[in-house]
């Protein structure tokens, strides 16, 4: 599904040069659920941004669905992202001027889906996430947990092949965090590839592979044989 070869990202200012990723070699197969862990500043979010083609590496190669995309222009990256990659961010990134319904609908507008089909798909997702009563509310009128569920719904609405989640539970209590994790697990079990950045060992435990980054390097990888804890409550996982 995606592969990096000697992937390097250097951020340069007038005063300092910072290596966020240093010759990272990673391969993620179709249908995997991979958690990426490590201390703040180790390169986790940078890796996710490059994986999602929100940024290009400084050096190295990045293959997405067999295409080497590391030198693509923003326009080519955007065209490849559409319909293939869904993003879930800790900060929600909802558009304040749009209602819950309109925020979730937005990716379908970009894909040219008809009005009737958009309405059907969005209402199905709203019902699944128990957001129907909030469909005409604006983001600032709903709770943080509800905002994150809207963000998840928007990421899933076009049935992308890959979900990239950057601390998707970071602003949520344990109950709402469990809801988001169950959604990601359900998607993964239906075949969607999931790559999730997290600081939480308990949430990383939902993945079938855990990658640890430190100072821009992959230092360890832990592979599990099966998802043996996915459907257990978080309190049991952590207890």
């Amino acid at each position: 599904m995606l592969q990096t070869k000697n992937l390097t990202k250097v951020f340069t200012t007038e005063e300092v040069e910072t290596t966020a990723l240093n010759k990272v070699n990673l391969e993620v197969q179709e249908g995997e659920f991979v958690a990426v862990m490590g201390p703040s500043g180790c390169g986790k979010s940078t890796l996710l941004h490059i994986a999602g083609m929100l940024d290009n590496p400084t050096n190295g190669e990045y293959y997405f669905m067999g295409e080497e995309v590391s030198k693509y222009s923003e326009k080519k990256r955007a065209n490849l992202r559409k319909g293939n990659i869904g993003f879930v961010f800790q900060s929600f990134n909802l558009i304040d001027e749009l209602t819950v319904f309109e925020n979730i609908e937005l990716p379908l507008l970009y894909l040219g889906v008809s009005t009737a089909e958009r309405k059907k798909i969005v209402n199905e997702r709203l019902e699944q996430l128990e957001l129907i009563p909030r469909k005409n509310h604006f983001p600032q009128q709903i709770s943080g947990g509800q905002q994150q569920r809207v963000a998840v719904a928007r990421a899933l609405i076009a049935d992308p092949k890959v979900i990239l989640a950057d601390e998707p539970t970071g602003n949520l209590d344990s109950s709402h965090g469990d809801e988001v994790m169950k959604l990601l697990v359900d998607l993964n079990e239906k075949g969607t590839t999931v790559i999730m950045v997290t600081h939480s060992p308990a949430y990383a435990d939902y993945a079938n592979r855990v990658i640890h980054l430190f100072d821009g390097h992959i230092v360890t990888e832990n592979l599990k044989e099966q998802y043996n804890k996915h459907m257990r409550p978080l309190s049991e996982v952590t207890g």
Side-chain angles (χ1 to χ4, degrees), residues 11-235:
F11 294 102
T12 304
T13 67
E14 292 182 359
E15 299 179 353
V16 67
E17 184 176 277
T18 303
T19 301
L21 296 173
N22 192 354
K23 296 183 178 179
V24 170
N25 293 291
L26 172 66
E27 186 168 357
V28 178
Q29 300 292 336
E30 184 174 357
E32 275 197 280
F33 189 153
V34 177
V36 182
M37 301 190 71
S40 296
C42 71
K44 302 186 301 297
S45 293
T46 300
L47 178 61
L48 212 65
H49 285 182
I50 293 175
M53 291 175 280
L54 298 175
D55 198 1
N56 276 341
T58 305
N59 291 299
E61 301 173 1
Y62 173 43
Y63 294 84
F64 181 77
M65 297 175 59
E67 291 186 53
E68 210 289 290
V69 301
S70 62
K71 302 299 188 295
Y72 274 16
S73 67
E74 169 54 28
K75 183 177 181 180
K76 289 188 73 173
R77 296 200 309 267
N79 286 335
L80 191 54
R81 281 196 303 266
K82 284 193 300 186
N84 287 315
I85 298 177
F87 296 92
V88 182
F89 299 102
Q90 179 180 353
S91 57
F92 312 143
N93 287 357
L94 301 177
I95 299 173
D96 289 339
E97 294 77 19
L98 299 181
T99 64
V100 165
F101 185 99
E102 291 166 341
N103 266 282
I104 297 171
E105 178 189 37
L106 199 57
L108 300 178
L109 281 168
Y110 292 143
L111 292 171
V113 178
S114 70
T115 302
E117 186 66 12
R118 289 200 310 271
K119 183 177 180 179
K120 175 177 178 291
I121 294 170
V122 174
N123 279 322
E124 286 175 353
R125 193 64 73 184
L126 285 165
E127 187 171 357
Q128 179 190 10
L129 294 175
E130 300 179 356
L131 288 168
I132 288 288
R134 305 296 184 190
K135 64 186 293 185
N136 294 318
H137 287 64
F138 292 94
Q140 298 307 314
Q141 296 175 315
I142 61 178
S143 70
Q146 290 167 338
Q147 287 185 56
Q148 187 62 301
R149 278 184 280 166
V150 174
V152 170
R154 184 180 59 188
L156 310 183
I157 198 68
D159 290 326
K161 295 179 174 63
V162 180
I163 291 288
L164 300 177
D166 194 355
E167 293 284 357
T169 61
N171 288 324
L172 304 179
D173 59 30
S174 60
S175 175
H176 288 125
D178 282 353
E179 288 179 17
V180 170
M181 291 308 304
K182 186 177 185 303
L183 282 170
L184 293 176
V185 169
D186 288 346
L187 275 172
N188 177 247
E189 290 180 341
K190 293 173 183 175
T192 303
T193 304
V194 178
I195 304 174
M196 176 185 68
V197 164
T198 183
H199 280 100
S200 167
Y203 287 136
D205 215 22
Y206 282 73
N208 67 315
R209 181 156 58 115
V210 182
I211 294 166
H212 294 266
L213 282 177
F214 186 78
D215 285 349
H217 296 274
I218 294 177
V219 290
T220 59
E221 289 190 45
N222 302 321
L223 178 65
K224 302 174 188 176
E225 292 185 2
Q226 59 183 358
Y227 302 161
N228 59 353
K229 296 184 179 180
H230 280 169
M231 295 309 171
R232 293 167 55 192
L234 181 62
S235 58

